[in-house]
Amino acid sequence: MQDFMVTSHRRAELYHWFTALFAAPLVDEEIREFGGYDMHAFLDSLATLDPLRDAAETFRRQAGRVLQLTEPQVELSEHYQKLFAEDSLLDTASLAQPEDEGMMLMSILLHQHGTRLKDDDPLNACNQLEMMATLAIAGADTDNETDRLALLDQQRELANQLLIDWLPPFAGSCRQRDSFGFYAAAASLLLAMFSMDIHYLNNVAQ
């Protein structure tokens, strides 16, 4: 049980981190953290996992490039707007047609748990990532076995019915459209992490 709690909190940390990367343009303070010890230690920990090694190191290099920009916040924000403002890649319906069952699940989860983001659109990629974090934390923090298993089932359903369909084309579109490369690297790392996570949910977690 202790291993499950540690793993769930770690999973939630990752989903929260990716949500923050994509939900809004990064501010100066967040960008400065790219050069700090905590960020390098975080990426080092990801790079110890074989499926994440290349993606984590690519993201590290791209984060270093951001720090070398003349005006990092302004220039990175411009790249963000090109990808995620109009015709936003965060609109998952533009990437994959959601199944009715998955949409209903996400709508119910949003009603039950809410979101820390500005809107409660079930098709918003960041709402779905944030919900994975919320469910993982809730599952780790409950002492009720029935509730814990139900929360795990909800994570499996969300991952298998929604995220698995839009995440690969999301990463591919970021690679095609991101001329600078930072968000393409972030999306590739997200996809690599999710591929590990859905394997964990489908084959290990109980």
Side-chain angles (χ1 to χ4, degrees):
M1 186 61 183
Q2 184 65 30
D3 287 345
F4 172 79
M5 292 175 62
V6 171
T7 299
S8 295
H9 280 280
R10 178 61 166 170
R11 293 176 54 242
E13 177 189 18
L14 287 167
Y15 278 110
H16 278 312
W17 184 68
F18 281 112
T19 301
L21 277 182
F22 290 110
L26 298 176
V27 299
D28 285 327
E29 182 180 355
E30 293 170 322
I31 291 173
R32 285 196 296 271
E33 291 175 356
F34 289 163
Y37 172 83
D38 288 345
M39 177 60 71
H40 284 289
F42 171 70
L43 293 173
D44 285 344
S45 70
L46 296 184
T48 62
L49 303 170
D50 285 343
L52 302 186
R53 180 177 296 115
D54 290 345
E57 293 302 339
T58 298
F59 179 83
R60 192 198 307 268
R61 289 194 297 272
Q62 290 297 330
R65 289 186 66 206
V66 172
L67 294 173
Q68 295 172 2
L69 294 172
T70 304
E71 296 182 276
Q73 195 281 326
V74 173
E75 295 180 57
L76 190 60
S77 180
E78 290 175 354
H79 291 294
Y80 180 92
Q81 296 298 334
K82 290 177 182 177
L83 294 170
F84 307 121
E86 295 182 9
D87 298 324
S88 175
L89 290 178
L90 297 178
D91 176 9
T92 61
S94 68
L95 300 164
Q97 183 62 43
E99 298 290 338
D100 290 342
E101 188 176 354
M103 279 289 297
M104 184 177 297
L105 171 66
M106 186 60 191
S107 297
I108 291 171
L109 292 174
L110 284 168
H111 179 73
Q112 290 177 340
H113 299 282
T115 176
R116 297 188 301 176
L117 303 178
K118 291 181 179 179
D119 65 63
D120 58 357
D121 180 3
L123 290 173
N124 183 294
C126 291
N127 278 335
Q128 294 183 27
L129 296 175
E130 183 73 5
M131 189 57 65
M132 289 293 289
T134 298
L135 296 173
I137 286 289
D141 291 348
T142 184
D143 294 325
N144 186 296
E145 181 74 2
T146 300
D147 290 344
R148 182 178 68 82
L149 292 175
L151 288 159
L152 265 176
D153 284 341
Q154 288 176 333
Q155 292 173 70
R156 290 190 189 99
E157 291 173 18
L158 188 56
N160 284 286
Q161 293 178 14
L162 287 177
L163 275 75
I164 197 172
D165 289 329
W166 64 259
L167 258 173
F170 173 76
S173 294
C174 284
R175 285 193 294 270
Q176 291 175 359
R177 293 172 52 179
D178 181 13
S179 59
F180 181 66
F182 173 80
Y183 287 105
S188 293
L189 182 55
L190 168 60
L191 179 59
M193 184 278 292
F194 175 76
S195 298
M196 287 189 64
D197 195 48
I198 197 170
H199 175 80
Y200 168 78
L201 289 170
N202 289 338
N203 299 286
V204 179
Q206 58 184 356

